[in-house]
């Protein structure tokens, strides 16, 4: 196995652990293998609360600090990017509630 393959395998394992933890904290009975390779918007089919999302990002930041030996700022930025890329939809967002209120007053 070449060093490039080893690096991709290591990154895939880190991503697997992060996604598995996201599903675990959100209370969904899914694993990384269930969504790996799917082309649809699987991350919009499941929800988590803002508190669960924050807990996942905090856990992921500490996890990346240990696994990749990154500083807190870089690990936090990576978690925010991962949240944008494949984080679950937030069910109790304050912005979602504001949009619903605006729609009801506009009608």
């Amino acid at each position: 196995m070449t060093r490039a393959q080893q690096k991709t395998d290591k990154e895939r394992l880190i991503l697997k652990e992060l996604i598995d933890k996201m599903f675990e904290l959100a209370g969904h009975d899914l694993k990384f293998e269930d969504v790996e390779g799917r082309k649809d918007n699987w991350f919009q089919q499941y929800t988590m609360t803002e508190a669960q999302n924050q807990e996942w990002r905090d856990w992921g930041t500490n996890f990346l600090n240990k696994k990749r030996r990154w500083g807190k700022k870089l690990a936090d930025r990576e978690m925010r990017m991962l949240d944008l890329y494949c984080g679950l939809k937030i069910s109790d967002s304050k912005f979602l509630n504001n949009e619903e209120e605006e729609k009801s007053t506009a009608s």
Side-chain angles (χ1 to χ4, degrees):
M1 186 179 290
T2 66
R3 288 189 62 84
Q5 288 173 329
Q6 287 176 344
K7 185 175 181 178
T8 11
D9 286 348
K10 184 178 180 181
E11 288 178 7
R12 186 177 177 281
L13 288 174
I14 288 173
L15 179 63
K16 178 190 178 310
E17 287 191 52
L18 289 168
I19 298 295
D20 285 348
K21 188 67 171 183
M22 176 179 66
F23 284 131
E24 177 188 323
L25 289 174
H28 299 294
D29 195 26
L30 290 173
K31 295 287 182 194
F32 176 73
E33 293 81 15
D34 299 331
V35 296
E36 182 182 22
R38 285 180 54 179
K39 301 289 186 211
D40 62 337
N41 291 341
W42 58 266
F43 44 85
Q44 298 223 341
Q45 296 172 1
Y46 305 99
T47 61
M48 66 189 325
T49 64
E50 283 191 44
Q52 290 169 332
N53 182 271
Q54 185 62 46
E55 182 181 356
W56 173 64
R57 286 197 340 239
D58 291 342
W59 179 86
T61 300
N62 292 330
F63 178 75
L64 290 174
N65 280 339
K66 292 175 189 170
K67 289 289 184 176
R68 287 192 171 166
R69 297 185 179 124
W70 285 350
K72 186 173 176 107
K73 189 174 184 178
L74 181 60
D76 183 55
R77 183 174 59 184
E78 184 71 15
M79 281 305 297
R80 289 176 187 272
M81 290 301 292
L82 184 62
D83 188 28
L84 282 174
Y85 178 67
C86 62
L88 300 181
K89 187 168 56 170
I90 304 295
S91 61
D92 64 345
S93 173
K94 60 185 174 191
F95 300 109
L96 180 65
N97 294 336
N98 288 340
E99 288 175 7
E100 289 174 358
E101 288 174 7
E102 288 174 6
K103 285 180 184 177
S104 65
T105 56
S107 298

